[in-house]
Amino acid sequence: MNGSPHLHLPVSVRLVMFKVLAALVPGIAVYVWFFGAAILVQIALASAAALAAEAALLRLRGKPVALFLTDGSALVTAWLIALTFPPIAPWWLTVTATLFAIVVAKHLYGGLGQNPFNPAMVAFCVSIVAFPALMTQWPAVGFTDFSAQMAVVFKSQSAQDAVTMATPLDALRTQLHVPEARATVAGILGSHASFGNIGGKGWEWIALAYLAGGLWLLQQRIITWHVPAAFLVTLALIAGGFSLGEPDRFAGPVFHIVTGGAMLGAFFILTDPVSGATTPRGKLIFAAGAALLTWIIRSFGAYPDGMAFAVLLMNLCVPLIDMNTQPPVFGRKAQQREKPHD
Amino acid sequence: MLATLFKFRGGIKPDAHKDESTRTPIAAAPLPARLVVPLRQNAGSAPLALVGPGQKVLKGERIGAPEGNFSAAVHAPTSGTVLAVEPRMLPHPSALSAPCVVIESDGEERWIERTPVDYAAESPDALRDRLRDAGIVGLGGATFPSHIKLQPGAAGRIGTLVINGAECEPWITCDDMLMRERAAGIVRGIGILRHIVSAERVLVGIEDNKPQAIAALRAAAAQAHGIEVVPVPTRYPAGGEKQLIRVLTGIEIPYGRLGTEFGVQCFNVGTAYATHRAIELGEPLVSRIVTLAGNVARPGNWEVPIGTPIDALLELAAPQAGTDRYIMGGPMMGFTLPRTDLPVTKAANCILAASPALFPPQGPEMPCIRCGACTHACPAELQPHELYWFARAKNFGKAQEYHIFDCIECGCCAYVCPSNIRLVDYYRFAKTSMRALEREKAAADAARERFEFRNVRSEREAKEKAERLAAKTAAARQAMAGGGQPAGTTPSVPAAPTTTAEAAAPLPQLDEAKRALIAAAIERARAQKEAVQPKNIDNLAPEKRAEIREIEARRAQVRELAKTPPEEPV
């Protein structure tokens, strides 16, 4: 068929994906600055695993390998896995998680464009359920020596307390959940120099760099404002409300926004178009729901960061959300507003 | 009063490429030796041919009469001799063939007697009839008969007339050049249109990338009262009828509704100009301005007699090496011509020589990643990616629920799609399939009705036959028994269960009667079968249909004659 239009913008899935990768670069740079170069190794590991799995699966499924392998989507998944996992996670964990993401969460559902769940978040949830200890083993601030980090990553040298520590989120969760400890948010966050004043030392800067990259994506029209705005505002409002009421038990809004995966999630994970809502109102609901779930899991759940579970739970709701938030079409606004459903 | 501009959502900004073809004034295309004038050049019913082979025609002579009101006349574009009236291939994406009048020109360009009228002295009805008989249709490309759009609607008066000079498609400049060069004629035409509907307000929308056209039309409109020339932001598809009405008046006309219902109606500048020529010069629509552009050495605009072969036109523009196909219309909504020996029609606003350099082939189609670029670009405010899934899955019910028919096929979604999905092709497929299903359903409904009617009728006939047969049997028995025996059967009892004794009995009269009845029944069954057979004549020309009707009538008569004799004499 050779129908109209005969003109086409020089855009491609590859261009979209590589812009997303480019937008992650500032965040990665700051990450390296604070936590050392281990993250780069993790990114390389995940990328290699993702490309290998992608190529194998494309071949198995009889798809054009070169075309899909270079579309950049597997790399985005790989980078998000690397950035959400601890940088000193053992190499096999990163690789297994990435393989799982590409093989199960992406290709078993039909490959690019067909996955109902964000593959990176599936990998995160599977790993944190299967290997909770390894997934909470974060490098202590100052533990930036590359060879020492590599020893942990590759030789499975048992991570020692000297080099690892809980994230501020994890510390809050474990200590606030023990009533006898009579811990307070301020007390816990103040107890450790490396927790910093805001979201944990270094994390607030990484979050800022993610924000910068996200704003660039916004400017490039790769994403719209709806998801990041709804997510961050909702998270801030809930956290703000509760921390005003009970400042000792609930952390404040700024802490929630700059710590853990919140900023990365707001601009890079929830904005995944394949597994997210597509209508403007739908995006607002989707992101607000994710913020609510994130806060609930962080505050009351058993896992340190609720972001990944929140994303998957909201991914589940996407068809329902989209179906019920169809915007009115040209010329039918009054008519549709009167009776949204025939 | 300065009009407040409204915005339409979506749209794209492709390179306009308007300069190439606007460097030279409109030139008259040479008269070809032979013209092929399609009879159907309007949305609605195809006109009836008024001429036959060998007949001499004058320029402007009617060669096709409007069939019903939703139709428009067709005229000889020059003087000459009719060579044939036969189906020829049309410039159409599916290479359809339809009846055309082939005229050999005599080169003399002798006009019919033209009768200009003073429109102010004419009634709107008379003017509408004149437009229909002058073959005036929308020259923006839709070829909707203009007199229909000028009828007052249910909502009453058309208060605002929108004149479309936006010309938003890249490359096309025929309206631009017409406005630059013939602004006075356009304004006079607008005056006539306004007079017909007695509109208070006329808004001429022109994209702001045509400053010369805006200036020319403003100058011409200065003398007229109440015609406002409004530059509109250049954004495709600002020239879409609904989009332009929205931009100029804020009114949104949904799919399936007419502007008239909202007190607004829209005409192309070319249509306004043709209206002026038809009424004030008495010249029916026999030519139009066509842009020749793309990969050609001499791009420009030409005034072309309708029916001119496209290849003759292309010689004027001199296509260059690398041209791999020709597009009728613009690059956004035009279609690839199946051949180039097809005639120019009233819808032909542009012929583009396409080359891989100008219109690079698209990359391979990737899966939809639901990025929403199409949604942002859609001026109909649809969810193109959802429609794509539904169309692909042939889930037509859902597609309709998501308003697929509101799609104007402007191509913005496919233009921005990073996955290179030919979205509009999917929508066209879905719409065509749905229309075909509708037709099938209508045909099935008709067949069912016929079937039910036939059942009722054959039941009735069987009953009548049984009664008759019973009466006859009784009569025969009576005759045989010498009238002594009472009738063994009552008329209401069916004749079928006759006893073997009775059947074995020598009843020559009865046998004869039975035979006659059986013969009649067979004949009836045959006739019914014929009547139930679908009639595949819906797409034929009216004269053919008339012929078929005559034949059918004759056949019916014969059937009647065949039926009656065996039933009577027994």
Side-chain angles (χ1 to χ4, degrees):
Chain A
M1 239 193 289
N2 200 1
S4 59
H6 307 270
L7 276 182
H8 194 260
L9 263 188
V11 288
S12 61
V13 173
R14 189 179 305 163
L15 189 70
V16 171
M17 295 297 172
F18 280 97
K19 279 186 174 175
V20 173
L21 292 178
L24 282 169
V25 169
I28 296 170
V30 179
Y31 202 127
V32 172
W33 177 264
F34 279 101
F35 295 99
I39 184 65
L40 297 180
V41 174
Q42 297 285 359
I43 288 175
L45 279 173
S47 299
L51 290 177
E54 181 94 350
L57 266 288
L58 286 170
R59 179 167 281 245
L60 268 177
R61 295 176 58 217
K63 300 277 175 189
V65 177
L67 175 67
F68 283 95
L69 196 60
T70 54
D71 67 18
S73 60
L75 286 180
V76 171
T77 300
W79 288 28
L80 289 177
I81 289 173
L83 290 174
T84 47
F85 277 39
I88 51 170
W91 66 271
W92 55 265
L93 179 59
T94 308
V95 169
T96 314
T98 308
L99 292 179
F100 191 84
I102 299 293
V103 175
V104 178
K106 186 179 182 183
H107 278 284
L108 289 193
Y109 282 100
L112 179 67
Q114 317 286 326
N115 49 294
F117 300 104
N118 187 312
M121 292 302 99
V122 172
F124 185 93
C125 290
V126 166
S127 303
I128 204 163
V129 170
F131 307 101
L134 293 174
M135 287 296 284
T136 46
Q137 171 186 293
W138 288 77
V141 171
F143 178 56
T144 53
D145 179 61
F146 186 65
S147 55
Q149 286 184 333
M150 288 306 99
V152 179
V153 172
F154 286 104
K155 294 180 188 149
S156 298
Q157 189 179 87
S158 74
Q160 287 148 28
D161 287 347
V163 295
T164 68
M165 56 171 271
T167 60
L169 261 180
D170 208 14
L172 276 187
R173 178 184 65 84
T174 45
Q175 295 178 39
L176 286 178
H177 280 203
V178 187
E180 307 83 59
R182 305 204 179 281
T184 64
V185 170
I188 297 162
L189 293 183
S191 70
H192 207 302
S194 62
F195 284 176
N197 296 324
I198 310 173
K201 194 158 187 173
W203 284 110
E204 57 264 41
W205 294 107
I206 297 174
L208 266 182
Y210 286 147
L211 173 67
L215 291 177
W216 180 72
L217 283 184
L218 206 58
Q219 186 266 332
Q220 291 288 306
R221 294 172 180 246
I222 302 292
I223 59 172
T224 63
W225 60 270
H226 303 83
V227 165
F231 179 80
L232 296 175
V233 167
T234 309
L235 188 59
L237 284 180
I238 301 170
F242 277 85
S243 70
L244 272 184
E246 277 190 80
D248 284 349
R249 282 201 57 210
F250 297 103
V254 180
F255 172 81
H256 270 287
I257 284 173
V258 299
T259 199
M263 199 63 91
L264 187 66
F267 285 96
F268 293 92
I269 297 171
L270 283 164
T271 50
D272 167 33
V274 174
S275 56
T278 57
T279 63
R281 269 198 308 145
K283 285 176 180 175
L284 295 177
I285 296 170
F286 172 74
L292 177 65
L293 288 171
T294 300
W295 182 83
I296 291 175
I297 298 169
R298 278 179 174 185
S299 305
F300 307 107
Y303 294 104
D305 198 348
M307 193 67 211
F309 290 102
V311 171
L312 294 190
L313 286 172
M314 289 315 290
N315 284 163
L316 269 177
C317 306
V318 162
L320 187 69
I321 295 174
D322 272 354
M323 205 183 294
N324 289 291
T325 54
Q326 285 299 312
V329 310
F330 185 92
R332 296 184 190 267
K333 280 158 198 159
Q335 182 195 335
Q336 284 188 340
R337 222 168 278 141
E338 279 159 24
K339 37 174 201 167
H341 264 278
D342 297 342
Chain B
M1 182 189 79
L2 194 78
T4 340
L5 285 187
F6 298 83
K7 271 188 174 168
F8 70 91
R9 268 198 37 200
I12 53 168
K13 288 185 176 182
D15 287 340
H17 287 285
K18 303 273 190 185
D19 295 335
E20 291 91 331
S21 53
T22 51
R23 292 187 193 121
T24 51
I26 300 171
L31 189 67
R34 220 172 255 194
L35 299 98
V36 178
V37 186
L39 280 168
R40 190 206 198 105
Q41 293 196 58
N42 56 272
S45 338
L48 296 168
L50 291 173
V51 291
Q55 198 171 329
K56 299 258 182 233
V57 290
L58 293 173
K59 183 173 183 176
E61 187 174 331
R62 271 214 282 172
I63 55 176
E67 160 87 340
N69 199 35
F70 192 13
S71 185
V74 177
H75 305 78
T78 186
S79 57
T81 314
V82 174
L83 292 181
V85 180
E86 61 188 17
R88 290 280 185 107
M89 193 190 285
L90 300 185
H92 184 277
S94 315
L96 286 183
S97 287
C100 294
V101 178
V102 184
I103 298 172
E104 180 158 59
S105 99
D106 58 13
E108 292 174 29
E109 291 270 61
R110 272 177 300 130
W111 271 97
I112 43 154
E113 197 189 326
R114 284 164 279 182
T115 48
V117 293
D118 174 17
Y119 72 86
E122 297 280 321
S123 74
D125 273 336
L127 289 170
R128 276 193 285 266
D129 286 350
R130 269 182 183 276
L131 291 180
R132 183 191 63 210
D133 295 340
I136 306 298
V137 295
L139 293 183
T143 63
F144 198 91
S146 298
H147 64 277
I148 304 270
K149 288 174 86 173
L150 289 163
Q151 278 161 358
R157 243 159 43 76
I158 298 166
T160 306
L161 214 53
V162 167
I163 303 298
N164 191 344
E167 200 164 53
C168 58
E169 269 257 14
W171 297 93
I172 308 180
T173 56
C174 58
D175 289 349
D176 188 0
M177 292 309 289
L178 187 79
M179 288 187 283
R180 291 190 201 186
E181 297 185 15
R182 303 180 191 179
I186 295 172
V187 170
R188 292 207 63 87
I190 293 171
I192 300 167
L193 296 170
R194 179 169 63 173
H195 171 76
I196 295 176
V197 297
S198 50
E200 291 138 15
R201 206 156 66 120
V202 179
L203 301 168
V204 186
I206 305 174
E207 274 195 347
D208 54 16
N209 62 358
K210 302 182 220 351
Q212 285 145 297
I214 293 169
L217 220 59
R218 276 199 171 138
Q223 284 111 47
H225 173 70
I227 297 180
E228 217 178 312
V229 178
V230 189
V232 300
T234 299
R235 189 155 56 102
Y236 177 86
E241 184 172 272
K242 290 176 178 184
Q243 280 64 40
L244 189 65
I245 291 174
R246 158 88 191 150
V247 168
L248 292 176
T249 67
I251 297 169
E252 286 189 9
I253 299 162
Y255 168 76
R257 306 276 295 274
L258 296 172
T260 319
E261 297 173 45
F262 297 82
V264 58
Q265 198 52 277
C266 179
F267 293 92
N268 173 266
V269 283
T271 315
Y273 180 71
T275 300
H276 153 69
R277 290 234 319 220
I279 304 293
E280 296 191 303
L281 304 176
E283 295 180 3
L285 181 54
V286 292
S287 67
R288 69 155 299 144
I289 316 288
V290 180
T291 303
L292 300 180
N295 189 35
V296 295
R298 291 190 297 275
N301 282 278
W302 303 81
E303 174 143 21
V304 184
I306 303 296
T308 303
I310 288 167
D311 20 16
L313 265 190
L314 288 172
E315 277 171 33
L316 301 172
Q320 290 171 317
T323 301
D324 60 348
R325 64 191 203 277
Y326 294 94
I327 296 169
M328 178 176 277
M332 291 306 294
M333 291 186 75
F335 59 90
T336 304
L337 284 166
R339 293 193 332 221
T340 54
D341 59 344
L342 309 172
V344 165
T345 62
K346 293 176 184 177
N349 47 9
C350 177
I351 312 287
L352 263 184
S355 68
L358 285 179
F359 306 113
Q362 243 173 298
E365 194 168 305
M366 301 275 286
C368 169
I369 54 167
R370 315 205 322 150
C371 67
C374 50
T375 312
H376 281 278
C378 181
E381 299 174 47
L382 297 163
Q383 300 284 312
H385 63 98
E386 301 274 15
L387 293 176
Y388 159 70
W389 287 116
F390 298 141
R392 221 186 125 125
K394 298 188 185 160
N395 189 348
F396 298 139
K398 253 332 205 181
Q400 206 157 5
E401 199 183 299
Y402 280 65
H403 305 291
I404 195 167
F405 281 106
D406 290 43
C407 166
I408 57 171
E409 298 180 18
C410 63
C412 290
C413 51
Y415 176 77
V416 300
C417 178
S419 292
N420 290 317
I421 301 172
R422 308 208 52 88
L423 290 159
V424 188
D425 283 344
Y426 283 95
Y427 308 147
R428 274 191 281 254
F429 158 76
K431 288 185 190 178
T432 319
S433 308
M434 282 153 88
R435 291 202 182 103
L437 286 175
E438 276 297 300
R439 269 199 302 277
E440 265 170 38
K441 189 178 171 293
D445 285 348
R448 200 191 57 238
E449 262 168 45
R450 272 199 304 268
F451 174 73
E452 280 166 4
F453 176 69
R454 195 186 126 217
N455 278 356
V456 168
R457 195 182 51 186
S458 45
E459 251 171 55
R460 192 192 65 217
E461 280 171 357
K463 200 173 152 209
E464 283 169 5
K465 188 176 86 178
E467 282 169 3
R468 271 199 311 273
L469 193 59
K472 276 172 200 151
T473 319
R477 262 201 207 126
Q478 260 178 343
M480 281 207 341
Q485 245 173 291
T489 50
T490 61
S492 63
V493 174
T498 38
T499 63
T500 39
E502 270 172 340
L507 297 170
Q509 298 100 324
L510 188 61
D511 274 356
E512 206 175 301
K514 262 188 183 170
R515 265 202 304 277
L517 281 168
I518 290 164
I522 289 169
E523 173 57 27
R524 262 201 311 279
R526 199 186 58 76
Q528 278 162 7
K529 200 175 157 196
E530 248 167 47
V532 175
Q533 217 110 90
K535 290 189 177 56
N536 200 10
I537 59 166
D538 292 348
N539 295 320
L540 292 181
E543 66 267 36
K544 276 272 183 236
R545 268 181 264 169
E547 207 178 299
I548 289 165
R549 271 198 297 275
E550 266 174 44
I551 295 168
E552 292 281 335
R554 264 206 310 279
R555 276 190 192 153
Q557 231 176 339
V558 171
R559 277 201 295 273
E560 282 306 311
L561 287 173
K563 239 186 265 179
T564 36
E567 291 198 8
E568 268 175 356
V570 194

